[in-house]
Amino acid sequence: MTDTIIRSVKGMHDVLPPASRTFAQIEAEMRRVFGRYGFAELRTPIVEETRLFSRGIGEETDIVAKEMYTFCDRDGTSLTMRPEGTASAVRAYVEHGLAASDPVARWYYTGPMFRHERAQKGRYRQFHQIGAEIFGLSDAAADAELIHMLADFTRGLGVRGVALGLNSLGCPVCRPAYRAALGAFLAGAAGRLCEDCQRRRETNPLRVLDCKKEGCRDATADAPASIGHLCAECAAHFAQVRAWLDAFGDAYALDPRMVRGLDYYNRTTFELLATDPEAGAQNAVAGGGRYDGLVEMLGGRPTPAVGFAIGVERLAALVPSAKEAPPPSVDVFVMAVGPGTVVAAARLASELRAKGITVELDGSEKGFKAKFKRADRSGAAFAVVIGGDEAARGACAVKALASRPLPDGVKQVEAPLDGAAAFIAGMLA
Ligand code: AMP
């Protein structure tokens, strides 16, 4: 028997009710809060040409090097299930020529992302992100406003126990000198680095600072920090980001080790981390930063940009309502029993739903006993019974269920079908 059960793919999960309610709550809050900041929703395809990600995210990143779901289309084109949303947003921005019309775009998006990672708690192969991007603004105010929007959004969801880390990675002017200083330091510490970091030391030394292994962290504890090597423009930009964050009242801590896993960042980077030790290594709830070179790298005009992505599963774990039992969602349980009851039951259910009342309609062949059992479990306040006799009289019986007695302790009343919806709505009010 068990051999025949088909399960979801490893690392890819169903989101069942009531957890799906938390997802919906998060999405509603996303639209409400982001809308207030002037952001509009972007929807892009889930599949893109592979070269968008290899060029946009960077061949050397873990994502491109080993985590992408890549396959050949029937015409031989290499396609990839998107591992993140920024590259697609940039592609859309360039493809639709937005830089020429109105270079400033504020977009948000949500949807599934795919990475073939080692599946474990908080790390999945299909997960969901909410992202926001601002194109066309280079000012520090844009970085800070985006960070503030992230803080506003999580606060609105009642999330506690998160801390914001902030760093600046510099720009193509100051990065080479920093890379050289870091490279020299890492050469001295090479013997203490893990195998991966030995390789990264040559290919992408900043990523060594991101390694979670204790040995590497110890070995790089005194590594030079990028904020100590910023050019004058980057230093001024970073100071302004901090001044704006102070003005917004957003708390943050400088995190000189935060380099982020994607290659395209410059200047500001930030991460929202869950502080509860239970979150373990998967404690990054959101991350983002400035990526002023990416639009040009993907064929557009040079356009500054800044963005973030939130992991919805990790955020949902911090939303307080996720831990509460959901309230019963059905108001009225309509049951049709016997011949000649279909039209009356369908009409009444439609009228009730049109009034905003939640109805579970049981039109099965089962008898009263089974239907009342189901009605009790539904959490509905009332059962409305339409049997053959009632239907013939143009009436229905409204019966109190455990959760809501009828007035004067009456257990059941008969109501004419015409006007029954208004009568029931009145009792629910
Ligand atoms: P990134 O696109 O790597 O900067 O990730 C942004 C956010 O997405 C992270 O802070 C996580 O919350 C979430 N995230 C990234 N990878 C995964 C994954 N494999 N499973 C669950 N969430 C993830």
Side-chain angles (χ1 to χ4, degrees):
M1 177 73 181
T2 46
D3 285 353
T4 62
I5 294 177
I6 300 172
R7 295 175 191 281
S8 69
V9 173
K10 186 172 179 193
M12 303 194 181
H13 299 286
D14 302 307
V15 184
L16 300 176
S20 55
R21 288 165 53 104
T22 309
F23 273 58
Q25 181 194 347
I26 288 172
E27 283 175 19
E29 186 71 359
M30 163 191 84
R31 290 177 211 290
R32 194 178 71 80
V33 175
F34 294 8
R36 251 184 355 219
Y37 285 74
F39 283 64
E41 185 172 1
L42 169 74
R43 297 188 185 215
T44 61
I46 283 173
V47 172
E48 299 271 5
E49 279 195 45
T50 302
R51 61 197 174 119
L52 173 67
F53 303 117
S54 46
R55 218 198 293 168
I57 300 174
E59 301 275 5
E60 259 307 315
T61 57
D62 283 353
I63 293 180
V64 174
K66 50 189 183 195
E67 294 171 359
M68 296 208 298
Y69 281 88
T70 297
F71 58 95
C72 267
D73 202 354
R74 284 164 200 264
D75 66 359
T77 315
S78 179
L79 301 181
T80 291
M81 314 264 287
R82 63 181 183 194
E84 55 101 61
T86 301
S88 301
V90 173
R91 182 202 43 71
Y93 182 84
V94 173
E95 182 174 340
H96 300 289
L98 292 163
S101 48
D102 180 6
V104 179
R106 290 182 170 82
W107 285 343
Y108 68 87
Y109 57 81
T110 185
M113 306 293 162
F114 304 85
R115 295 183 196 174
H116 199 283
E117 297 204 65
R118 205 156 51 79
Q120 55 187 281
K121 185 170 172 279
R123 194 198 275 160
Y124 311 109
R125 292 182 176 173
Q126 175 177 329
F127 58 99
H128 297 78
Q129 284 187 340
I130 288 174
E133 321 282 352
I134 302 179
F135 293 99
L137 293 177
S138 57
D139 326 86
D143 310 38
E145 203 183 18
L146 206 59
I147 293 171
H148 181 59
M149 184 170 88
L150 175 63
D152 200 1
F153 171 60
T154 53
R155 222 180 359 253
L157 286 165
V159 169
R160 293 220 169 72
V162 285
L164 186 80
L166 186 71
N167 195 15
S168 175
L169 297 179
C171 69
V173 173
C174 47
R175 181 93 59 91
Y178 173 58
R179 257 179 94 118
L182 183 61
F185 174 89
L186 294 176
R192 297 165 64 201
L193 300 177
C194 72
E195 214 172 290
D196 279 345
C197 284
Q198 301 276 4
R199 184 176 46 80
R200 288 181 191 134
R201 194 169 71 74
E202 306 283 344
T203 55
N204 196 347
L206 268 72
R207 294 297 321 277
V208 176
L209 299 180
D210 207 24
C211 184
K212 301 278 182 282
K213 298 203 179 81
E214 213 169 304
C216 295
R217 295 192 82 81
D218 285 349
T220 57
D222 297 324
S226 53
I227 42 175
H229 290 76
L230 298 180
C231 61
E233 278 90 25
C234 285
H237 190 272
F238 195 48
Q240 281 168 14
V241 172
R242 298 180 64 181
W244 273 102
L245 288 178
D246 290 344
F248 278 128
D250 291 318
Y252 63 87
L254 290 182
D255 181 354
R257 299 185 72 97
M258 193 219 303
V259 299
R260 311 278 300 117
L262 297 85
D263 269 359
Y264 50 57
Y265 289 112
N266 68 304
R267 290 198 167 162
T268 319
T269 55
F270 53 93
E271 249 173 18
L272 197 65
L273 299 177
T275 49
D276 185 344
E278 236 185 65
Q282 286 11 288
N283 63 345
V285 179
R290 187 162 271 290
Y291 51 93
D292 293 331
L294 190 58
V295 175
E296 190 179 7
M297 199 157 81
L298 291 175
R301 309 178 177 194
T303 306
V306 56
F308 66 66
I310 308 168
V312 178
E313 283 79 1
R314 294 187 195 175
L315 179 66
L318 301 174
V319 173
S321 61
K323 291 170 195 117
E324 288 166 17
S329 55
V330 175
D331 300 316
V332 177
F333 193 97
V334 174
M335 56 179 89
V337 184
T341 59
V342 169
V343 172
R347 209 183 101 198
L348 180 59
S350 301
E351 284 173 3
L352 287 166
R353 288 175 182 145
K355 289 183 181 300
I357 294 167
T358 308
V359 177
E360 187 168 330
L361 174 63
D362 186 342
S364 68
E365 300 287 313
K366 292 187 195 117
F368 278 119
K369 202 168 159 214
K371 285 186 171 171
F372 269 108
K373 207 164 158 192
R374 177 74 217 124
D376 279 327
R377 283 176 53 185
S378 75
F382 305 111
V384 179
V385 182
I386 306 176
D389 290 351
E390 283 96 352
R393 283 202 300 276
C396 63
V398 180
K399 198 171 180 320
L401 291 169
S403 59
R404 180 93 64 115
L406 289 167
D408 306 325
V410 176
K411 291 247 160 36
Q412 183 169 326
V413 290
E414 187 162 297
L417 274 169
D418 275 339
F423 172 71
I424 293 164
M427 285 199 302
L428 282 168

